[in-house]
Amino acid sequence: MPKSDRDVRASGAGPRRVRYARWVRRGQRGVAVAASWARIVLVRVTRPGVRVGFDSFIGPRCVIRCAPRGRMIIRGTVLTRDVHLEVADGALLDLGAHTLGPAAFVVARQRVVVGAGALLAEMSVVRDQDHVVAPGTPGAAMKFAAAPVTIGRDVWIGAKATVLRGVTIGDGAVVGAGAVVTSDVPPGARVGGVPAVPLRSSVPAQSVPALSVPAQSVPAQSVPAQSVRAQR
């Protein structure tokens, strides 16, 4: 992986090597964008239910599946790599997220909406459906229950977090890594755990007024040097 200009300069390389490293990085970015455009063209040709423009980026090994009567809208989203998107018959996936990290998984059997600026970290999962477990029913015969999922604007979903059916996450909320979200999350809240619960950081810290002690009121000679350094 090419180093940054700063790293190259720090290694003592001359201006020529710095320019060469910059050209290599630009070339790699150009190749990645060209490959993404080719994938977008392929998706648009082979998946009639998918709307995706060239303002989005589709990385390597991404899987995009859309049933014949399903609809998928991808708006200016970066699909890094190994991302899995799936839409069932009659379902809608409206994806306005900023970035989906590696191996992120989004499945819509009814409706999933992800707002602009949202970030889904690696291996995060968003599903609007789960299995209905009934006594005496074998796993292969289980049916699905679905309910819409809505993720607001500028939401951050941490690595390996899971959002289940019927959940609404408000704008600016943060879901901690590994959390399982089973109920609604208010705007701006911070949740974590299994199942996800509000974290202490969700409550704004109360401002504590600083002590107004004049500097001249404490003689310098009465304070040990170690204490002064610790206070700094």
Side-chain angles (χ1 to χ4, degrees):
M1 186 176 191
K3 299 180 179 179
S4 65
D5 292 351
R6 183 178 301 176
D7 294 336
V8 174
R9 293 192 190 99
S11 65
R16 182 176 299 178
R17 186 174 176 184
V18 173
R19 289 195 300 270
Y20 172 75
R22 186 180 298 119
W23 292 337
V24 170
R25 285 195 304 276
R26 288 177 179 173
Q28 287 188 329
R29 284 196 295 267
V31 170
V33 170
S36 170
W37 287 354
R39 297 182 189 107
I40 290 172
V41 171
L42 181 62
V43 167
R44 293 170 67 164
V45 169
T46 60
R47 304 284 190 273
V50 179
R51 288 173 48 192
V52 55
F54 292 102
D55 57 342
S56 295
F57 178 89
I58 300 179
R61 300 181 302 278
C62 291
V63 176
I64 298 177
R65 295 176 179 169
C66 186
R69 292 182 297 168
R71 289 190 300 144
M72 184 185 301
I73 305 170
I74 304 174
R75 311 170 189 271
T77 302
V78 175
L79 310 179
T80 52
R81 64 178 184 276
D82 301 301
V83 173
H84 186 108
L85 305 178
E86 188 172 334
V87 177
D89 268 333
L92 167 67
L93 171 57
D94 190 336
L95 191 62
H98 182 280
T99 302
L100 271 66
F105 206 100
V106 182
V107 177
R109 293 185 71 91
Q110 192 175 104
R111 186 178 77 247
V112 174
V113 178
V114 182
L119 302 170
L120 279 67
E122 63 271 18
M123 292 180 278
S124 56
V125 177
V126 178
R127 288 178 175 271
D128 68 347
Q129 48 79 25
D130 51 31
H131 289 89
V132 177
V133 180
T137 302
M142 289 182 184
K143 296 183 179 180
F144 286 107
V149 170
T150 302
I151 298 175
R153 300 170 63 91
D154 302 315
V155 171
W156 168 255
I157 297 180
K160 300 183 180 179
T162 301
V163 179
L164 298 181
R165 66 183 173 99
V167 167
T168 296
I169 301 179
D171 296 348
V174 175
V175 177
V180 177
V181 185
T182 60
S183 58
D184 292 352
V185 178
R190 309 291 190 266
V191 299
V194 181
V197 296
L199 302 176
R200 290 183 180 179
S201 60
S202 300
V203 181
Q206 295 181 355
S207 58
V208 179
L211 295 176
S212 55
V213 180
Q216 59 270 24
S217 65
V218 182
Q221 61 270 23
S222 66
V223 182
Q226 297 90 333
S227 300
V228 175
R229 285 196 294 270
Q231 291 171 7
R232 290 179 184 173

CSV table of all heavy atoms in Angstrom, one decimal, residues 116-146:
chain,number,residue,atom,x,y,z
A,116,ALA,N,-29.7,9.5,5.1
A,116,ALA,CA,-28.4,10.1,4.6
A,116,ALA,C,-27.4,10.3,5.7
A,116,ALA,O,-27.7,10.6,6.9
A,116,ALA,CB,-28.7,11.4,3.9
A,117,GLY,N,-26.1,10.0,5.4
A,117,GLY,CA,-25.1,10.2,6.3
A,117,GLY,C,-24.9,9.1,7.4
A,117,GLY,O,-24.0,9.1,8.2
A,118,ALA,N,-25.7,8.1,7.3
A,118,ALA,CA,-25.6,7.0,8.3
A,118,ALA,C,-24.4,6.1,8.0
A,118,ALA,O,-23.9,6.0,6.8
A,118,ALA,CB,-26.8,6.1,8.3
A,119,LEU,N,-23.8,5.6,9.0
A,119,LEU,CA,-22.6,4.7,8.9
A,119,LEU,C,-22.9,3.4,9.5
A,119,LEU,O,-23.2,3.3,10.7
A,119,LEU,CB,-21.4,5.4,9.6
A,119,LEU,CG,-21.0,6.8,9.1
A,119,LEU,CD1,-20.0,7.4,10.0
A,119,LEU,CD2,-20.5,6.7,7.7
A,120,LEU,N,-22.7,2.3,8.7
A,120,LEU,CA,-22.8,0.9,9.2
A,120,LEU,C,-21.4,0.3,9.2
A,120,LEU,O,-20.9,0.1,8.1
A,120,LEU,CB,-23.8,0.1,8.3
A,120,LEU,CG,-25.3,0.3,8.6
A,120,LEU,CD1,-25.7,1.8,8.2
A,120,LEU,CD2,-26.1,-0.7,7.8
A,121,ALA,N,-20.9,0.0,10.4
A,121,ALA,CA,-19.6,-0.6,10.5
A,121,ALA,C,-19.5,-2.0,10.0
A,121,ALA,O,-20.5,-2.6,9.6
A,121,ALA,CB,-19.1,-0.5,11.9
A,122,GLU,N,-18.3,-2.6,10.0
A,122,GLU,CA,-18.1,-3.9,9.5
A,122,GLU,C,-18.9,-4.9,10.2
A,122,GLU,O,-19.1,-4.9,11.4
A,122,GLU,CB,-16.6,-4.3,9.5
A,122,GLU,CG,-16.0,-4.4,10.9
A,122,GLU,CD,-15.5,-3.0,11.4
A,122,GLU,OE1,-15.8,-2.0,10.8
A,122,GLU,OE2,-14.7,-3.0,12.4
A,123,MET,N,-19.5,-5.9,9.4
A,123,MET,CA,-20.3,-7.0,9.9
A,123,MET,C,-21.5,-6.6,10.7
A,123,MET,O,-22.1,-7.4,11.5
A,123,MET,CB,-19.4,-7.9,10.7
A,123,MET,CG,-18.3,-8.7,9.9
A,123,MET,SD,-17.3,-9.8,10.9
A,123,MET,CE,-16.1,-8.6,11.6
A,124,SER,N,-22.0,-5.4,10.5
A,124,SER,CA,-23.3,-5.0,11.1
A,124,SER,C,-24.4,-5.6,10.3
A,124,SER,O,-24.3,-5.9,9.1
A,124,SER,CB,-23.4,-3.5,11.2
A,124,SER,OG,-23.2,-2.9,9.9
A,125,VAL,N,-25.6,-5.8,10.9
A,125,VAL,CA,-26.7,-6.5,10.3
A,125,VAL,C,-28.0,-5.7,10.5
A,125,VAL,O,-28.3,-5.3,11.7
A,125,VAL,CB,-26.9,-7.9,10.8
A,125,VAL,CG1,-28.1,-8.6,10.2
A,125,VAL,CG2,-25.6,-8.8,10.6
A,126,VAL,N,-28.7,-5.4,9.5
A,126,VAL,CA,-30.0,-4.8,9.6
A,126,VAL,C,-31.0,-5.7,8.9
A,126,VAL,O,-30.9,-5.9,7.6
A,126,VAL,CB,-30.0,-3.4,8.9
A,126,VAL,CG1,-31.4,-2.7,9.0
A,126,VAL,CG2,-29.0,-2.5,9.6
A,127,ARG,N,-32.0,-6.1,9.6
A,127,ARG,CA,-33.1,-7.0,9.0
A,127,ARG,C,-34.4,-6.5,9.5
A,127,ARG,O,-34.6,-6.3,10.7
A,127,ARG,CB,-32.9,-8.5,9.5
A,127,ARG,CG,-31.7,-9.2,8.9
A,127,ARG,CD,-31.6,-10.6,9.5
A,127,ARG,NE,-30.6,-11.4,8.9
A,127,ARG,CZ,-30.7,-12.2,7.8
A,127,ARG,NH1,-31.9,-12.3,7.3
A,127,ARG,NH2,-29.8,-12.9,7.4
A,128,ASP,N,-35.4,-6.5,8.6
A,128,ASP,CA,-36.7,-6.2,9.0
A,128,ASP,C,-37.6,-7.4,9.2
A,128,ASP,O,-38.8,-7.4,9.2
A,128,ASP,CB,-37.4,-5.3,7.9
A,128,ASP,CG,-37.6,-6.0,6.6
A,128,ASP,OD1,-37.1,-7.1,6.4
A,128,ASP,OD2,-38.4,-5.4,5.8
A,129,GLN,N,-37.0,-8.6,9.4
A,129,GLN,CA,-37.7,-9.8,9.5
A,129,GLN,C,-36.9,-10.8,10.4
A,129,GLN,O,-35.7,-10.7,10.6
A,129,GLN,CB,-38.0,-10.5,8.2
A,129,GLN,CG,-36.8,-10.6,7.3
A,129,GLN,CD,-35.8,-11.7,7.6
A,129,GLN,OE1,-36.2,-12.7,8.2
A,129,GLN,NE2,-34.5,-11.6,7.2
A,130,ASP,N,-37.6,-11.7,11.1
A,130,ASP,CA,-37.0,-12.8,11.8
A,130,ASP,C,-37.9,-13.9,11.8
A,130,ASP,O,-39.1,-13.9,11.3
A,130,ASP,CB,-36.6,-12.3,13.2
A,130,ASP,CG,-37.7,-11.7,14.0
A,130,ASP,OD1,-38.9,-12.1,13.7
A,130,ASP,OD2,-37.5,-10.8,14.9
A,131,HIS,N,-37.5,-15.1,12.4
A,131,HIS,CA,-38.3,-16.3,12.3
A,131,HIS,C,-39.3,-16.3,13.4
A,131,HIS,O,-39.1,-15.7,14.5
A,131,HIS,CB,-37.4,-17.5,12.5
A,131,HIS,CG,-36.5,-17.8,11.3
A,131,HIS,ND1,-35.3,-17.2,11.1
A,131,HIS,CD2,-36.7,-18.5,10.2
A,131,HIS,CE1,-34.7,-17.6,10.0
A,131,HIS,NE2,-35.6,-18.4,9.4
A,132,VAL,N,-40.4,-16.9,13.2
A,132,VAL,CA,-41.5,-17.1,14.2
A,132,VAL,C,-41.3,-18.5,14.7
A,132,VAL,O,-41.4,-19.5,14.0
A,132,VAL,CB,-42.9,-17.0,13.5
A,132,VAL,CG1,-43.9,-17.3,14.6
A,132,VAL,CG2,-43.1,-15.6,13.0
A,133,VAL,N,-40.9,-18.6,16.0
A,133,VAL,CA,-40.7,-19.9,16.6
A,133,VAL,C,-41.9,-20.3,17.3
A,133,VAL,O,-42.5,-19.6,18.1
A,133,VAL,CB,-39.5,-19.7,17.7
A,133,VAL,CG1,-39.2,-21.1,18.3
A,133,VAL,CG2,-38.3,-19.2,17.0
A,134,ALA,N,-42.3,-21.6,17.0
A,134,ALA,CA,-43.5,-22.2,17.6
A,134,ALA,C,-43.2,-23.5,18.1
A,134,ALA,O,-42.4,-24.3,17.5
A,134,ALA,CB,-44.7,-22.2,16.6
A,135,PRO,N,-43.8,-23.9,19.3
A,135,PRO,CA,-43.5,-25.2,19.8
A,135,PRO,C,-43.9,-26.3,18.9
A,135,PRO,O,-44.9,-26.3,18.3
A,135,PRO,CB,-44.4,-25.3,21.1
A,135,PRO,CG,-44.7,-23.8,21.4
A,135,PRO,CD,-44.7,-23.1,20.1
A,136,GLY,N,-43.0,-27.3,18.7
A,136,GLY,CA,-43.2,-28.4,17.9
A,136,GLY,C,-43.0,-28.2,16.4
A,136,GLY,O,-43.2,-29.1,15.6
A,137,THR,N,-42.6,-27.0,16.0
A,137,THR,CA,-42.4,-26.6,14.6
A,137,THR,C,-40.9,-26.8,14.3
A,137,THR,O,-40.1,-26.1,15.0
A,137,THR,CB,-42.8,-25.2,14.3
A,137,THR,OG1,-44.2,-25.0,14.6
A,137,THR,CG2,-42.6,-24.9,12.8
A,138,PRO,N,-40.6,-27.6,13.4
A,138,PRO,CA,-39.1,-27.8,13.0
A,138,PRO,C,-38.6,-26.5,12.4
A,138,PRO,O,-39.3,-25.7,11.8
A,138,PRO,CB,-39.1,-28.9,12.0
A,138,PRO,CG,-40.5,-29.0,11.5
A,138,PRO,CD,-41.4,-28.5,12.6
A,139,GLY,N,-37.3,-26.4,12.6
A,139,GLY,CA,-36.6,-25.1,12.1
A,139,GLY,C,-36.9,-24.9,10.6
A,139,GLY,O,-37.1,-23.7,10.2
A,140,ALA,N,-36.9,-26.0,9.8
A,140,ALA,CA,-37.1,-25.8,8.3
A,140,ALA,C,-38.5,-25.3,8.0
A,140,ALA,O,-38.7,-24.8,6.9
A,140,ALA,CB,-36.8,-27.1,7.6
A,141,ALA,N,-39.4,-25.5,8.9
A,141,ALA,CA,-40.8,-25.1,8.6
A,141,ALA,C,-41.2,-23.7,9.2
A,141,ALA,O,-42.3,-23.3,9.1
A,141,ALA,CB,-41.8,-26.1,9.1
A,142,MET,N,-40.2,-23.1,9.8
A,142,MET,CA,-40.5,-21.8,10.5
A,142,MET,C,-40.8,-20.7,9.4
A,142,MET,O,-40.3,-20.7,8.3
A,142,MET,CB,-39.3,-21.3,11.3
A,142,MET,CG,-39.1,-22.1,12.5
A,142,MET,SD,-37.7,-21.4,13.5
A,142,MET,CE,-37.6,-22.6,14.8
A,143,LYS,N,-41.8,-19.8,9.8
A,143,LYS,CA,-42.1,-18.7,8.9
A,143,LYS,C,-41.5,-17.4,9.4
A,143,LYS,O,-41.0,-17.4,10.5
A,143,LYS,CB,-43.6,-18.6,8.8
A,143,LYS,CG,-44.3,-19.8,8.2
A,143,LYS,CD,-45.8,-19.6,8.0
A,143,LYS,CE,-46.5,-20.8,7.4
A,143,LYS,NZ,-48.0,-20.6,7.3
A,144,PHE,N,-41.6,-16.4,8.5
A,144,PHE,CA,-41.0,-15.1,8.8
A,144,PHE,C,-42.1,-14.2,9.3
A,144,PHE,O,-43.2,-14.2,8.9
A,144,PHE,CB,-40.3,-14.5,7.6
A,144,PHE,CG,-39.0,-15.1,7.2
A,144,PHE,CD1,-38.9,-16.0,6.1
A,144,PHE,CD2,-37.9,-14.9,8.0
A,144,PHE,CE1,-37.7,-16.5,5.7
A,144,PHE,CE2,-36.7,-15.5,7.6
A,144,PHE,CZ,-36.6,-16.3,6.5
A,145,ALA,N,-41.7,-13.3,10.2
A,145,ALA,CA,-42.5,-12.1,10.6
A,145,ALA,C,-41.7,-10.9,10.3
A,145,ALA,O,-40.5,-10.8,10.6
A,145,ALA,CB,-42.8,-12.2,12.1
A,146,ALA,N,-42.3,-9.9,9.6
A,146,ALA,CA,-41.6,-8.7,9.1
A,146,ALA,C,-42.3,-7.5,9.6
A,146,ALA,O,-43.5,-7.4,9.8
A,146,ALA,CB,-41.5,-8.7,7.6
